[in-house]
């Protein structure tokens, strides 16, 4: 019989274009290399599959975050490590995710708004500032930064790979991941 390892969730939160997905993509092979079963749940990709019926108002975003938390919780119960890269702008949504999932490491990708806007290849911030997009997080909808995230990553001046290694080191420090 195979050994059952307890799963845990790495939940990256931050403004749009903060670097969540880039860090998650770098983190996945680091954790896989340590023998963990990893699944990346990117907010944009998961939304297309789980929540195409939802908009971007607060209620819809909370329902989407709840759906992602449910899926992540199922994966954790089966020994998988879901890496969730989701704006998840509201503290209440992240608190419900923490409660739903149990073994949970919140990672705050703390990138300043002006840096996120400069990184925006899709021009979403520009469109939101022009009033073409309503309810855009960080522009006319709030982002509530975590007050007690287990890990905080400042991305300015650091590559996604460096940030991923910092997250992995934090997960070792928290006891989720064995040291390399």
């Amino acid at each position: 019989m195979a050994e059952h390892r307890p799963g845990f969730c790495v939940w990256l939160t931050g403004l749009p274009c903060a670097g969540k997905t880039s860090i998650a993509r770098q983190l996945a092979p680091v954790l896989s290399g340590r023998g963990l079963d990893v699944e990346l749940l990117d907010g944009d990709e998961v939304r297309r599959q789980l929540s195409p019926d939802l908009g971007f108002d607060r209620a819809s975003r909370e329902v989407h975050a709840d759906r992602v938390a449910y899926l992540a919780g199922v994966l954790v119960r089966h020994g998988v490590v879901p890496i969730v890269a989701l704006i998840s702008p509201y503290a209440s949504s992240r608190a419900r995710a923490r409660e739903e999932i149990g073994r949970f490491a919140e990672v705050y990708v703390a990138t300043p708004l002006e840096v996120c806007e400069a990184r925006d290849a899709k021009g979403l911030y520009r469109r939101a500032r022009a009033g073409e997009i309503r309810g855009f997080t960080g522009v006319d909808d709030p982002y509530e930064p975590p007050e007690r995230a287990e890990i905080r990553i400042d991305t300015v001046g650091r590559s996604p790979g460096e940030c991923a290694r910092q997250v992995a080191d934090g997960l070792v420090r928290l006891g989720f991941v064995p040291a390399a």
Side-chain angles (χ1 to χ4, degrees):
M1 182 173 201
E3 176 186 350
H4 178 76
R5 292 184 212 178
F8 62 92
C9 177
V10 182
W11 189 284
L12 292 99
T13 178
L15 287 165
C17 305
K20 301 174 295 299
T21 298
S22 298
I23 294 169
R25 287 182 179 150
Q26 295 289 317
L27 179 62
V30 171
L31 297 182
S32 292
R34 295 186 186 184
L36 301 170
D37 294 325
V38 176
E39 185 64 48
L40 175 58
L41 300 177
D42 176 69
D44 291 338
E45 293 177 17
V46 173
R47 179 178 272 274
R48 281 193 290 275
Q49 299 301 319
L50 286 184
S51 304
D53 56 320
L54 298 176
F56 290 90
D57 58 280
R58 184 177 182 123
S60 294
R61 289 177 184 192
E62 288 185 343
V63 168
H64 177 58
D66 290 348
R67 289 175 181 175
V68 173
Y70 173 78
L71 176 58
V74 169
L75 291 170
V76 166
R77 288 192 292 279
H78 287 85
V80 177
V81 177
I83 302 172
V84 176
L86 188 69
I87 296 170
S88 46
Y90 311 119
S92 58
S93 294
R94 296 190 303 267
R96 284 194 307 278
R98 180 182 296 274
E99 186 175 321
E100 169 78 28
I101 296 167
R103 293 178 46 86
F104 187 90
E106 185 175 50
V107 178
Y108 176 30
V109 181
T111 306
L113 178 62
E114 61 274 11
V115 173
C116 295
E117 288 193 63
R119 290 179 179 171
D120 181 15
K122 297 178 185 173
L124 297 175
Y125 279 100
R126 182 185 46 74
R127 292 180 56 208
R129 296 265 184 225
E132 297 173 19
I133 300 174
R134 302 257 185 237
F136 193 79
T137 301
V139 176
D140 60 348
D141 199 62
Y143 177 78
E144 300 166 358
E147 293 181 5
R148 292 186 302 263
E150 281 79 7
I151 301 170
R152 176 188 168 106
I153 302 294
D154 296 307
T155 65
V156 176
R158 293 191 176 104
S159 71
E162 290 171 315
C163 294
R165 285 189 294 280
Q166 188 179 353
V167 173
D169 290 345
L171 294 171
V172 169
R173 188 180 65 253
L174 293 166
F176 285 114
V177 175

